[in-house]
Amino acid sequence: MGDEGFGGVLRDLRSAMGGLFTGGTLDETQRVTIEVSFGLIGWLAKADGVVTSHEAEFANRLVEELNLPTKGKAIAQAAFLRGQHRKIDVAVEVTRFLAQHPKGSPEIGRLYDTLLRLVAADGRVFRHERVALETLTDAFGLPRSVIDARLTMIRSEATG
């Protein structure tokens, strides 16, 4: 994925979550959104066994683009590391997110698309990444057919 594709992901997430993070303090919804989003990004980034420099840069740029307050940055970094080190339960994290953002909400779609874009960034989906995507898809209560449909859409955006 080129910089435009990556920039698009950041714009999508910023529009989805950016309004949540104004000011210096975080409420419960903001904290949960940051923890779950970055925990899942870290977890998915490590799905194939290695967090690439691109995936780490993705998370770091996202933190900067969201213009999180200092406390938000610390929460995001800690959540990413917990996810990377497999110290989260995906089903529990998704349930926490769904408690703040109900099924069918734009936030769910944007987070899910961001996770797909992270996997599709290198143009390939490795077996362990596919299994991780299936786990996330199940946790969000989406049909697995959405994985290939959305990956096809993402790939066409990247090449079109």
Side-chain angles (χ1 to χ4, degrees), residues 81-150:
L81 290 174
R82 275 193 312 279
Q84 176 184 335
H85 294 294
R86 298 299 200 248
K87 294 185 179 190
I88 65 169
D89 179 322
V90 170
V92 169
E93 294 302 298
V94 170
T95 298
R96 290 177 64 214
F97 197 82
L98 291 172
Q100 303 294 327
H101 308 285
K103 286 184 181 182
S105 68
E107 293 83 3
I108 298 293
R110 289 185 186 118
L111 174 57
Y112 186 76
D113 280 346
T114 297
L115 295 167
L116 288 171
R117 289 175 191 276
L118 175 68
V119 168
D122 63 3
R124 299 172 293 191
V125 178
F126 294 100
R127 186 176 65 79
H128 292 296
E129 291 173 325
R130 177 64 185 216
V131 170
L133 283 176
E134 290 172 356
T135 299
L136 286 166
T137 302
D138 293 347
F140 278 115
L142 300 170
R144 288 189 179 182
S145 60
V146 78
I147 297 170
D148 292 323
R150 288 196 178 177

Side-chain angles (χ1 to χ4, degrees), residues 3 12 14 17 33 37 41 55 60 66 74 80 85 90 93 96 127-128 135 138 154:
D3 281 345
D12 287 350
R14 185 172 48 240
M17 297 190 293
T33 299
S37 298
I41 289 169
E55 292 162 335
N60 289 332
L66 290 173
F80 181 86
H85 294 294
V90 170
E93 294 302 298
R96 290 177 64 214
R127 186 176 65 79
H128 292 296
T135 299
D138 293 347
I154 289 166

Side-chain angles (χ1 to χ4, degrees), residues 14-111:
R14 185 172 48 240
S15 71
M17 297 190 293
L20 296 174
F21 307 123
T22 56
T25 60
L26 298 173
D27 66 22
E28 181 66 11
T29 298
Q30 294 166 326
R31 188 180 60 74
V32 168
T33 299
I34 294 168
E35 285 178 352
V36 172
S37 298
F38 284 91
L40 293 178
I41 289 169
W43 182 83
L44 188 55
K46 186 72 182 254
D48 59 359
V50 176
V51 176
T52 66
S53 59
H54 180 271
E55 292 162 335
E57 178 185 331
F58 178 92
N60 289 332
R61 283 181 62 185
L62 182 56
V63 167
E64 293 306 316
E65 288 289 325
L66 290 173
N67 198 26
L68 296 173
T70 302
K71 183 177 181 180
K73 289 177 183 180
I75 290 168
Q77 290 167 344
F80 181 86
L81 290 174
R82 275 193 312 279
Q84 176 184 335
H85 294 294
R86 298 299 200 248
K87 294 185 179 190
I88 65 169
D89 179 322
V90 170
V92 169
E93 294 302 298
V94 170
T95 298
R96 290 177 64 214
F97 197 82
L98 291 172
Q100 303 294 327
H101 308 285
K103 286 184 181 182
S105 68
E107 293 83 3
I108 298 293
R110 289 185 186 118
L111 174 57

